[in-house]
Amino acid sequence: MWQAASLGALLLVSRLVLRLPWTQVLLGLLVTYLGSGGWRFVRVVVKTIRRDVFAAMVLLKVKLKVRSYLRDRKTVPALFASTLRRHPDKTALIFEGTGARWSFRQLDTYSSAVGNLLRSRGLRPGDVAALFMENRNEYVGLWLGMAKLGVEAALINTNLRRDALRHCLTTSHARVLVFGSELAPAIMEIHDTLEPSISLFCSGAWEPDSVPPGTEHLDPLLEEAPKDLPRPSDKGFTDNLFYIYTSGTTGMPKAAIVAHSRYYRMAALVYYGFRMRSDDIVYDCLPLYHSAGNIVGLGQCLLHGMTVVIRKKFSASRFWSDCVKYDCTIVQYIGEICRYLLNQPVRDVERQHRVRMALGNGLRPSIWTDFSSRFHIPQVAEFYGATECNCSLGNFDSQVGACGFNSRILTFVYPIRLVRVNEDTMELVRGSDGVCIPCEPGEPGQLVGRIVQHDPLRRFDGYLNQGANNKKIARDVFKKGDSAYLTGDVLVMDELGYLYFRDRTGDTFRWKGENVSTTEVEGTLSRLLGMADVAVYGVEVPGAEGRAGMAAVADPDISCDLERFARALEKELPVYARPIFLRFLPEVNKTGTYKFQKADLRRESFDPAVVKDPLFYLNAQLGRYLPLDAEAHRRIQSGEQKL
């Protein structure tokens, strides 16, 4: 009875979502049934049918809206205009720092003034304006106003300095730079090397002696600018909206292209998939130069009419007090935030809130249950995705530890797959036909998503630097002649299709809430040390979220000047990308294709009882590398030594 009902529902969903002929659907199900173990397949259907049908309906709903918006050439400003018409006087944004509350009407007025001002200064659709500012309401109004004019915003990571900052401005070809007064010192450091033609505007407190010559104070200019809606640009749904920069691991970040369609897709799949409501109030303490804070969080305001509370920076001690004060129902997190909150002393306020959902990614399975039970949060809405990826996942039913799922019975609906990979080199393993080999349940593999450029849900917009795209695309993955996006992450799928992180191995690891590219850090260290053989990898540190960077250097005599090296790193790399640990050894083993073998290095980590090579750690207080002996190792393990 259950099996018949489940299979019947599955047939109906398959028919509705993909509009496939009944014969093709039946044949596909029969092949899947026989090829996956008969009655065991029926067991999977029974256990996952509700989850998978719901997900298919969400996908169908978003797909239909995407098709309509594509046809009508909708943009994010046009979708925001619809939200504005529904509730103009509802609170859209609250900035915790000042308590400033902006209605949707006020956000519309401010952003229109931005568009009109830039238009009066000669900017046109397709031009680029850089935005370098800490979180506040104005940040949203600035890029939204740019988008109303058709100007593409380059959202620059506020941690970047010197060469990295200059690189972002240069490669974006920005005609205008808007920066917050709090970041004026960073602009002062590089202004002599900027293009003379770039216009500089400072938002916030105005101190003429603290900004580069020629800088204009933005705030009074916006007060005087016309507040009517700028003339709509000819931008369409798949045109560029703004750029989000990958973590600047070498001082050379990459600008990921965010089209209007990508902004909508990311925000909408989260909204419908996690059953959000327009009357929800979101607490957003994540940086707005990243997609989690700007798209997943703020997208719910602009597209679905939620109120979003913006915090300048995350504060563990103020987190729950803020949630109570602003009556928040959804909080955003990255895994590191959850650990910091759990480390806080227990207080009454942490159970006086109305938060019903924690939305984010990177919550470790080991603290998942403790987090949800201590803070009494019914739903943990974990999702997986990167700004540029085409294979986002969602854990729609709060399965502990899972970053999402991939249906094992509707495999043809959402074209993502785990494929076998060499975990040391991240090279895809292929069969005799040259096509990638799918993973079985329990077998680790790299997550990939099939690229379909004419489909806004499956397309890969890539980076401004076209050369960077090639590293993220593989050919002949699902079948001969196709292409797929490479996530670079190793996951494991269980029998029911839930996906779990195996590890962030290969080319990327995460530290201090930022992704760090090992290959790019290797390039920087090789240049600074004057050595070719430098292998960078992430290692676990007890009590710390993510993995700390460690570099193995083929220099047993330690011929480099470590003090000078540490000073150089401060100029070259953001704080989260600097290697915490150094290991000097005779050589770094490589594969036959000259890629570093890092499995043993990761396993041995930074334990001086295991590693006989010289070890050093970066003392953050002193800004120097110090020898890592047994006592230093004990302090790091116990948490006495902060990293």
Side-chain angles (χ1 to χ4, degrees), residues 169-195:
L169 293 172
T170 302
T171 57
S172 70
H173 303 291
R175 293 188 55 192
V176 164
L177 167 60
V178 177
F179 62 92
S181 56
E182 68 280 2
L183 294 170
I187 302 302
M188 289 289 286
E189 288 181 334
I190 65 168
H191 83 275
D192 287 340
T193 60
L194 294 179
E195 286 289 330

Side-chain angles (χ1 to χ4, degrees), residues 435-490:
V435 175
C436 293
I437 303 173
C439 293
E440 296 297 327
E443 183 179 11
Q446 182 173 181
L447 183 67
V448 298
R450 180 183 291 162
I451 297 173
V452 183
Q453 281 303 110
H454 66 267
D455 182 356
L457 293 178
R458 301 268 58 82
R459 63 183 287 155
F460 174 59
D461 296 304
Y463 307 94
L464 271 182
N465 176 5
Q466 291 299 311
N469 292 337
N470 296 332
K471 297 179 181 179
K472 302 298 292 186
I473 299 176
R475 311 291 177 184
D476 303 330
V477 177
F478 291 75
K479 63 181 181 179
K480 280 287 188 182
D482 71 359
S483 62
Y485 171 82
L486 301 172
T487 63
D489 288 322
V490 177

Side-chain angles (χ1 to χ4, degrees), residues 73 198 247 251 419:
R73 296 182 59 80
I198 191 170
S247 299
V419 295

Side-chain angles (χ1 to χ4, degrees), residues 283-287 289-293 296 314 319 331-342 358-364 367 371 380-383 385 504 510-515 545-546 576:
Y283 185 69
D284 188 349
C285 58
L286 304 181
Y289 56 73
H290 274 175
S291 55
V296 176
F314 164 70
F319 190 93
V331 295
Q332 286 192 266
Y333 70 85
I334 56 174
E336 193 172 15
I337 283 177
C338 301
R339 181 175 62 82
Y340 286 146
L341 292 174
L342 283 171
L359 170 69
N361 52 50
L363 180 54
R364 293 167 60 183
I367 64 171
F371 177 77
V380 175
E382 177 86 2
F383 64 88
R504 282 187 178 270
R510 193 169 180 84
W511 181 246
K512 300 293 186 183
E514 300 278 357
N515 291 334
E545 191 68 34
Y576 51 81

Side-chain angles (χ1 to χ4, degrees), residues 388-604:
E388 69 276 21
C389 87
N390 69 341
C391 47
S392 304
L393 304 171
N395 183 349
F396 293 158
D397 49 3
S398 295
Q399 175 73 11
V400 174
C403 61
F405 70 93
N406 187 28
S407 174
R408 298 198 64 208
I409 56 179
L410 294 176
T411 55
F412 40 80
V413 172
Y414 197 52
I416 67 172
R417 182 174 290 175
L418 282 187
V419 295
R420 292 184 188 174
V421 66
N422 182 320
E423 290 189 65
D424 283 336
T425 65
M426 293 303 288
E427 292 177 341
L428 302 178
V429 177
R430 300 178 180 272
S432 57
D433 59 356
V435 175
C436 293
I437 303 173
C439 293
E440 296 297 327
E443 183 179 11
Q446 182 173 181
L447 183 67
V448 298
R450 180 183 291 162
I451 297 173
V452 183
Q453 281 303 110
H454 66 267
D455 182 356
L457 293 178
R458 301 268 58 82
R459 63 183 287 155
F460 174 59
D461 296 304
Y463 307 94
L464 271 182
N465 176 5
Q466 291 299 311
N469 292 337
N470 296 332
K471 297 179 181 179
K472 302 298 292 186
I473 299 176
R475 311 291 177 184
D476 303 330
V477 177
F478 291 75
K479 63 181 181 179
K480 280 287 188 182
D482 71 359
S483 62
Y485 171 82
L486 301 172
T487 63
D489 288 322
V490 177
L491 284 75
V492 179
M493 180 177 65
D494 67 13
E495 185 184 28
L496 301 181
Y498 290 106
L499 292 160
Y500 306 83
F501 272 108
R502 164 69 169 244
D503 202 352
R504 282 187 178 270
T505 58
D507 293 337
T508 309
F509 62 89
R510 193 169 180 84
W511 181 246
K512 300 293 186 183
E514 300 278 357
N515 291 334
V516 180
S517 167
T518 61
T519 53
E520 295 180 349
V521 175
E522 285 164 357
T524 298
L525 300 191
S526 294
R527 175 167 52 82
L528 294 178
L529 295 170
M531 299 169 188
D533 288 352
V534 180
V536 175
Y537 45 97
V539 293
E540 291 183 340
V541 178
E545 191 68 34
R547 288 177 176 260
M550 185 166 183
V553 184
D555 180 19
D557 299 325
I558 316 179
S559 59
C560 65
D561 184 331
L562 287 181
E563 287 198 23
R564 181 180 297 175
F565 175 65
R567 290 196 299 270
L569 284 181
E570 291 182 1
K571 297 180 180 179
E572 295 278 349
L573 296 177
V575 62
Y576 51 81
R578 299 167 196 162
I580 304 298
F581 304 105
L582 299 178
R583 174 178 178 176
F584 292 89
L585 68 176
E587 63 177 352
V588 183
N589 294 330
K590 298 180 182 178
T591 68
T593 55
Y594 303 102
K595 293 193 175 183
F596 293 121
Q597 292 182 321
K598 301 179 182 179
D600 289 341
L601 296 172
R602 279 193 296 267
R603 185 165 49 252
E604 293 169 352

